[in-house]
Amino acid sequence: MQQELIAQARTWLAEDPDPETRDELAKLIDAEDLDALAARFAGTLQFGTAGLRGELGAGPMRMNRSVVIRAAAGLAAYLKAQGQTGGLVVIGYDARYKSADFARDTAAVMTGAGLRAAVLPRPLPTPVLAFAIRHLGAVAGVEVTASHNPPRDNGYKVYLGDGSQIVPPADGEIADAIAAVGPLAGVDRPESGWEILGDEVLDAYLARTDAVLATGSPRTARAVYTAMHGVGTSVLTAAFARAGFPTPVLVAEQAEPDPAFPTVAFPNPEEPGAMDLAFATARRANPDLVIANDPDADRCAVAVPDATVDGGWRMLRGDEVGALLAAHLVARGANGVFAESIVSSSLLGRIAEKAGNGYEETLTGFKWIARVDGLRYGYEEALGYCVDPDGVRDKDGITAALLVAELASVLKEQGRTLLDLLDDIAVEHGLHATDQLSVRVEDLSVIADAMRRLRDTPPTALAGLAVTSAEDLSEGTELLPPTDGLRYHLTGARVIVRPSGTEPKLKCYLEVVVPVGSADELPAARAKGAELLTGIKRDLSAAAGI
């Protein structure tokens, strides 16, 4: 076993084109560090919710140039098998370690395979790539990004010509094509032949961002903005300037791209402490709201002044922003289907139904939401919003920020705030209180054990609420294809448990619905909602053994 592992590592080393990972692997082989080698050669990275994603390093279980070249070769083979020989593949990338290298390798492989390749001019938000695919009539697109993952990670997100991320069966067929790639020496990688795009595509994207706003709407809201050390600053500020909003006050420490993400433990606005610098800036600048993007700017976080919380600023939950944007679009007369993933608040369905709009639930991820027929608006609780599906068939943190700023401006003109509108929504549709129990693990078997425990012994009650029905989503439902997850319906509540598709986390999504008769009842309803969520968390943790 030991000799077989070292032989496998030597074979990989012999064809690794990257001096950094070659040096890393050579040292592990020389030291006969079997644990480290086993971790790198335990299998191969698999396509998940967002393509490939993993820690940078040597070997097939890490993100590196060898893995990317194979992925690109497999994608190229798949596209040619689909009759797309000579088609255009657009490639974008963020500012993480190795992103530019992975983008260049992808362009070289596509060119060598007889496809045309075009690379965005510099690190840009993921939604610019999603826009460019349809704008340029490409047959596929690749975005090199690990979104909001830790600094040591990178990823490889694949889109097809409709501008949406891959779903079955395409993902499985691409994975099979990747597995069929032989030695890297057989993958043609010319030194040139692809196009480096100019700013025309970015200019077209920015021109399109205007479409999300109502003609003549107020543009007075003042924002503090953080790019979270990512690529959002230049594009968001350009979009705000075009639209006529006040120039956002930047969180200076986080405004420029930095792959080390030095001021945050995790570059995700949802993580504890990630918004501290933004709130400190807001206390000095006294804006109407705080807006944050994640590092590839496809997510949008919003915070508002709230005198009842420490520090005076409160992050809105993704479900709250999702409901606010839905209510705003309804007020503007938006027609079409409103869609969300199953882990998001059921409130969207109530808003859509009352407005006479269609409503659909999908599996987790915008690769599903963006494919809903007749989509007008889609969102996911993890801070993802699709507000212009005709332009970007993916979540887009830039256009979502514009729409939030427009809504804040409309309310400001009325002497009201986003919190006031949330109160109105609760009175109209009932208080929908949501929370998440999220457990990050080092050992993935902890997640598998928790899922097995819940399947073997499903809870019959949580926080004193009876479980009225339980679904194992791995078996699929009448409306949803199979996925690894569990859904419990309770009296006045709902719980979904699933492993994350992008991080080593077990995620449990909780919602309770408390009827509200008038605004006077809101404080008591919120207290009851919080109490029930705490109890569900406690009992679910015990049931799952986490």
Side-chain angles (χ1 to χ4, degrees):
M1 189 68 171
Q2 173 180 339
Q3 293 307 313
E4 183 180 332
L5 179 60
I6 289 179
Q8 191 179 0
R10 289 190 189 282
T11 299
W12 185 276
L13 178 66
E15 62 175 18
D16 187 340
D18 190 328
E20 287 185 37
T21 46
R22 282 178 58 82
D23 183 58
E24 173 196 338
L25 189 54
K27 288 177 178 174
L28 294 176
I29 293 170
D30 291 345
E32 295 190 354
D33 188 337
L34 300 182
D35 288 343
L37 290 172
R40 287 160 173 76
F41 289 88
T44 58
L45 287 181
Q46 300 296 311
F47 274 80
T49 303
L52 293 170
R53 196 177 292 187
E55 186 176 346
L56 290 163
M61 285 296 290
R62 297 288 187 268
M63 284 297 298
N64 51 66
R65 290 184 60 200
S66 295
V67 163
V68 165
I69 290 166
R70 289 181 181 280
L75 175 58
Y78 167 82
L79 292 172
K80 292 169 72 175
Q82 299 295 312
Q84 303 287 7
T85 300
L88 174 67
V89 179
V90 188
I91 302 151
Y93 59 103
D94 67 11
R96 284 177 176 266
Y97 296 118
K98 298 288 183 182
S99 286
D101 294 337
F102 294 168
R104 186 183 188 282
D105 282 332
T106 301
V109 171
M110 295 301 162
T111 303
L115 292 144
R116 293 181 295 126
V119 184
L120 292 182
R122 58 186 171 278
L124 287 168
T126 292
V128 177
L129 181 276
F131 167 83
I133 294 165
R134 301 182 72 212
H135 179 70
L136 297 174
V139 299
V142 171
E143 176 70 18
V144 180
T145 181
S147 188
H148 56 276
N149 277 38
R152 64 178 182 272
D153 289 1
N154 213 327
Y156 198 81
K157 190 181 290 190
V158 177
Y159 298 74
L160 294 182
D162 62 356
S164 300
Q165 297 173 49
I166 52 170
V167 295
D171 56 357
E173 293 170 3
I174 293 169
D176 290 344
I178 294 170
V181 175
L184 290 191
V187 178
D188 188 16
R189 289 182 287 132
E191 291 295 316
S192 61
W194 55 91
E195 180 183 3
I196 305 295
L197 295 166
D199 278 345
E200 297 84 5
V201 170
L202 176 60
D203 292 342
Y205 167 82
L206 285 169
R208 177 80 202 185
T209 61
D210 297 347
V212 306
L213 302 174
T215 303
S217 63
R219 314 280 168 91
T220 56
R222 297 174 55 253
V224 158
Y225 171 73
T226 176
M228 206 66 67
H229 297 296
V231 298
T233 296
S234 62
V235 179
L236 182 132
T237 53
F240 270 53
R242 284 182 62 96
F245 286 103
T247 302
V249 176
L250 301 182
V251 178
E253 302 93 331
Q254 299 173 336
E256 295 302 317
D258 187 337
F261 303 106
T263 68
V264 290
F266 290 95
N268 178 355
E270 293 179 295
E271 293 283 348
M275 295 290 287
D276 287 356
L277 286 171
F279 293 160
T281 304
R283 284 189 286 273
R284 294 193 299 270
N286 195 31
D288 299 301
L289 72 166
V290 171
I291 293 171
N293 287 140
D294 65 339
D296 69 327
D298 62 353
R299 287 174 169 82
C300 177
V302 180
V304 293
D306 187 343
T308 69
V309 299
D310 288 344
W313 282 86
R314 176 167 83 83
M315 268 276 286
L316 297 181
R317 302 191 66 83
D319 285 319
E320 292 176 310
V321 177
L324 286 167
L325 292 179
H328 182 45
L329 289 170
V330 165
R332 281 181 28 185
N335 293 310
V337 178
F338 284 22
E340 64 181 342
S341 62
I342 57 173
V343 300
S344 304
S345 172
S346 61
L347 176 56
L348 183 68
R350 298 194 181 194
I351 293 172
E353 181 182 9
K354 185 157 186 179
N357 282 326
Y359 168 72
E360 280 197 36
E361 276 190 321
T362 74
L363 293 184
T364 307
F366 270 81
K367 64 183 183 180
W368 298 108
I369 294 171
R371 284 186 159 76
V372 168
D373 287 340
L375 181 68
R376 175 59 185 86
Y377 168 63
Y379 98 91
E380 191 157 68
E381 56 74 44
L383 309 182
Y385 313 93
C386 176
V387 301
D388 179 25
D390 290 340
V392 176
R393 291 190 178 175
D394 199 0
K395 55 185 176 293
D396 183 346
I398 306 296
T399 50
L402 284 171
L403 202 61
V404 168
E406 180 184 61
L407 173 56
S409 299
V410 169
L411 293 167
K412 185 177 181 180
E413 299 287 298
Q414 300 168 358
R416 305 175 73 237
T417 68
L418 295 174
L419 293 180
D420 293 329
L421 181 54
L422 283 173
D423 286 350
D424 292 349
I425 293 170
V427 172
E428 185 173 1
H429 300 286
L431 178 72
H432 289 61
T434 60
D435 203 354
Q436 190 180 126
L437 172 62
S438 182
V439 182
R440 183 180 292 272
V441 301
E442 294 292 330
D443 180 0
L444 290 176
S445 69
V446 173
I447 294 175
D449 289 345
M451 295 296 290
R452 183 166 52 250
R453 182 167 174 163
L454 288 171
R455 285 188 168 105
D456 291 346
T457 313
T460 57
L462 297 168
L465 303 176
V467 176
T468 57
S469 67
E471 296 169 282
D472 188 339
L473 299 176
S474 66
E475 300 169 2
T477 72
E478 186 178 337
L479 299 175
L480 298 170
T483 187
D484 187 11
L486 300 164
R487 178 161 60 180
Y488 305 108
H489 292 282
L490 299 88
T491 306
R494 183 215 65 197
V495 173
I496 293 173
V497 183
R498 60 178 283 271
S500 170
T502 57
E503 299 177 89
K505 282 183 176 181
L506 181 68
K507 290 188 167 184
C508 310
Y509 304 85
L510 324 174
E511 178 177 47
V512 298
V513 182
V514 184
V516 180
S518 68
D520 293 340
E521 297 177 18
L522 278 171
R526 288 203 168 94
K528 182 178 180 182
E531 180 185 353
L532 287 171
L533 288 171
T534 299
I536 292 173
K537 271 189 181 183
R538 178 194 63 231
D539 294 350
L540 187 62
S541 294
I546 52 176

